[in-house]
Amino acid sequence: METTVKEKVEHIINQIRPQLEADGGNIRLVEVKEDGLVLVELQGACGCCPHSRMTLKNGVETILKKYVPEVTRVEDINLGF
């Protein structure tokens, strides 16, 4: 059985999560849309950190795009971008 894009994204997020938890944060996968948009929610310290946009774009998005080519962009539902 072929792995879905959502399953691939969940797997990578589970690999990223320990790094975020080490800084008091977390990440929750909300949805993977057909156009490759991944919606997440940064939680804990990551949800209110002034560097959360950098974490999201330079960290999470870059890693997801590298390992899951179907991903076009990643947005945090709380940041509205």
Side-chain angles (χ1 to χ4, degrees):
M1 189 162 116
E2 188 175 323
T3 306
T4 67
V5 174
K6 182 178 181 182
E7 290 170 334
K8 292 177 191 176
V9 168
E10 285 176 334
H11 175 74
I12 298 302
I13 284 178
N14 286 334
Q15 301 301 308
I16 296 168
R17 181 172 284 113
Q19 295 168 323
L20 298 175
E21 289 174 336
D23 289 328
N26 206 339
I27 186 169
R28 178 178 71 90
L29 177 61
V30 176
E31 184 178 0
V32 178
K33 300 208 176 237
E34 286 186 25
D35 65 355
L37 169 63
V38 176
L39 297 174
V40 299
E41 179 183 23
L42 292 177
Q43 301 173 323
C46 291
C48 59
C49 175
H51 302 289
S52 60
R53 181 177 172 89
M54 187 170 59
T55 297
L56 186 69
K57 293 297 177 179
N58 295 342
V60 176
E61 183 176 270
T62 300
I63 293 168
L64 280 173
K65 283 177 158 182
K66 178 178 180 178
Y67 293 103
V68 187
E70 297 89 346
V71 172
T72 57
R73 67 187 196 280
V74 179
E75 295 182 7
D76 185 327
I77 61 171
N78 293 321
L79 297 177
F81 62 85

